[in-house]
Amino acid sequence: MANILVTGGAGYIGSHTCIELLNHGHEVVVFDNLSNSRYESLRRVQKITQKHLVFIEGDIRDADHLDQVFQSYSIDAVIHFAGLKAVGESQAMPLHYFDHNIAGSICLFQAMKRANVFHLVFSSSATVYDASNISPLHEEMPTGMPNNNYGYTKLIIEQMLQKLSAADARWSIALLRYFNPVGAHTSGLIGEDPQGIPNNLMPYLTQVAVGRLEQLAVYGDDYDTIDGTGVRDYIHVVDLANAHLCALENRLSTQGCRVWNIGTGQGSSVLQIIHAFEKVTGIKIPYQVAPRRSGDVATSFSDNQRAVQELAWQPQYGLAEMLADSWKWQQQNPSGYSSTQHKYK
Ligand code: NAD
Ligand code: UFG
């Protein structure tokens, strides 16, 4: 069992990963500045697992604070989720994104090196693949120049980590390219809690279903896909969280830097998602077809065989469970975490 530092651990994917880490007997130290999350998620993680974790409010750009954390806890490995992820915002505020995501990551990697901690799992994204690749996307396909600054930061960090491990054999790094994380813990206690109007399909859809938003815009119905709408590889967040555990175990015993796709290998269109959601929940979703969203590709889904074979990981949840769990979370928490505010101090 290991001591794991989880940066960004109060967020959507991080909080689900904390549950899996605690349930597998690991000790967890979360380091998060709560810029896009609330401590409430971690209070609920501890309620679900009946286990304690350490929470430190801090910013990954703060080298002294990171040094203190590494000195205070005997950290074996880091899972690095902390960062900003809103594509539109990244276009309006490039420096802000370069600072948090790129400079913040460098600051973290330097602190790890000073503390002699060389095991790292990093949250990357399928957005780093070149848009001309034909799905299923596999890890050997070329990366491209992402058409937004958020994606660009993921590509730069991936490339830095590959160079870092090539230059110093002590590093052992997993680059996990997530496809489209959706769903929530089956308890309905934790889930995705976007600030403001959601950018992504699933939280938008569940907020329409719960009556917070009026109707869903379907961005384009003239793509070359099964029904003209965009196709993506949706993956249950609990399966994604488990992939971090598998990658961590792999990295604790192997050196080098390795990329893994984390998806189900199945594509679903926007209309398929809407209709499946209606079937699972019995709720009719009002929607209207709108123009294509700039920067979207028609189809993106994974070849996940490398992760299945090398990490002994297998997604367990199908689309119906992803939709049911997204809905359970939204229904039980119509305003997300905002109605419950517990201070951790
Ligand atoms: P999230 O916003 O819920 O979680 C990120 C967490 O990082 C938040 O709790 C936030 O408060 C924290 N944070 C941000 N900047 C920080 C800083 N400078 N110092 C300390 N903490 C900071 O997002 P998520 O969906 O859980 O995503 C986690 C990671 O996975 C991110 O790196 C994201 O880019 C990546 N990712 C997400 C998706 C997705 O669709 N959700 C897809 C691909 C990759
Ligand atoms: N969509 C709609 N209406 C909406 C929102 C989305 O029709 O209100 C459509 C999009 O056009 C797309 C699909 O639903 O066809 C999925 O869109 P999302 O915004 O949910 O997800 P993306 O595939 O655009 O992006 C996600 C993450 C990014 C990550 C990328 C990697 O949000 O962080 O996957 O492929 F980089």
Side-chain angles (χ1 to χ4, degrees), residues 7 33 35 59-61 80-87 89-90 93-109 122-123 125 148-158 160-161:
T7 73
N33 66 3
S35 60
D59 195 299
I60 52 166
R61 296 165 302 166
H80 177 31
F81 294 105
L84 305 177
K85 63 165 186 177
V87 169
E89 188 184 65
S90 79
M93 308 168 77
L95 278 176
H96 191 58
Y97 272 67
F98 301 157
D99 188 28
H100 278 263
N101 292 8
I102 301 176
S105 293
I106 294 172
C107 187
L108 172 68
F109 307 151
F122 173 63
S123 303
S125 166
N148 62 75
N149 294 321
Y150 161 73
Y152 173 71
T153 66
K154 292 293 174 193
L155 183 66
I156 293 287
I157 299 165
E158 272 205 11
M160 278 189 328
L161 288 172

Side-chain angles (χ1 to χ4, degrees), residues 191-207:
E192 188 172 10
D193 184 20
Q195 314 294 305
I197 307 282
N199 299 307
N200 300 116
L201 178 62
M202 194 57 63
Y204 204 107
L205 190 154
T206 56
Q207 289 195 16

